[in-house]
Amino acid sequence: MNKKIIAIYGRKNEGKTDTIRRIVDNIKTLFPNSTDGLLKTEDGEIFGTIQIENTRIGIESQGDPKGRMMTQDTLSKLTDCNIIICATRTRGETVHYVENIASKSPIIWISSSYCPELNHDILNELAARHILQIITSLLAEML
């Protein structure tokens, strides 16, 4: 299977997880018959899958160094997914981890939208809608 990975990268506290939460909400709205197999932690992080017809989308919002993605090798649990959406930092071990999991699969690198002077909610929603457009294009190829 030729999976696609969408990696949202940015520094600490720049809206990566919030953007991923918004992507998930938008997917559920756009595809109301999708099956949700997501786990949400108390701190708002998300891990798991969403099934849309025969297409599985894997989600990992925790992309911090020494976080769940790294310590529990969570992306390797999503390798049977057609699309993986994950968070990473801008460089270092989380980026290398995603590149290793991807192997020969393409990675779409998208930076988080961040500006301390602007409304974070608006920026995160705009980023989520942009990424949703990419996802729907990928789904159109797969469905």
Side-chain angles (χ1 to χ4, degrees):
M1 172 188 331
N2 189 12
K3 69 180 162 287
K4 312 285 191 290
I5 298 177
I6 299 172
I8 303 166
Y9 67 92
R11 296 181 306 194
K12 182 178 180 179
N13 297 322
E14 287 194 350
K16 300 177 296 296
T17 295
D18 187 48
T19 297
I20 291 174
R21 281 194 297 261
R22 290 167 187 268
I23 292 167
V24 168
D25 290 343
N26 286 325
I27 288 172
K28 290 178 183 179
T29 299
L30 191 59
F31 300 96
N33 294 327
S34 62
T35 305
D36 179 344
L38 298 172
L39 305 172
K40 297 175 184 164
T41 62
E42 289 180 16
D43 60 355
E45 299 290 349
I46 300 171
F47 173 75
T49 62
I50 297 174
Q51 185 85 25
I52 301 171
E53 295 182 23
N54 294 325
T55 303
R56 285 175 46 111
I57 300 174
I59 310 284
E60 174 54 278
S61 69
Q62 210 300 321
D64 296 332
K66 299 181 183 33
R68 177 181 63 213
M69 184 171 77
M70 302 296 296
T71 61
Q72 298 179 27
D73 195 25
T74 53
L75 286 190
S76 68
K77 298 172 184 171
L78 300 175
T79 56
D80 64 334
C81 293
N82 306 90
I83 299 170
I84 297 173
I85 302 165
C86 64
T88 74
R89 291 291 178 87
T90 57
R91 62 178 186 265
E93 62 185 319
T94 58
V95 171
H96 298 302
Y97 174 75
V98 171
E99 290 172 338
N100 287 337
I101 289 295
S103 182
K104 295 180 181 172
S105 299
I107 304 173
I108 302 167
W109 293 98
I110 301 174
S111 67
S112 59
S113 298
Y114 179 77
C115 178
E117 291 83 23
L118 297 178
N119 185 316
H120 299 203
D121 290 333
I122 292 171
L123 291 175
N124 293 341
E125 183 60 33
L126 290 171
R129 289 181 188 178
H130 173 243
I131 294 165
L132 186 65
Q133 289 177 330
I134 294 169
I135 292 167
T136 55
S137 294
L138 295 173
L139 287 171
E141 294 174 10
M142 296 176 186
L143 295 178

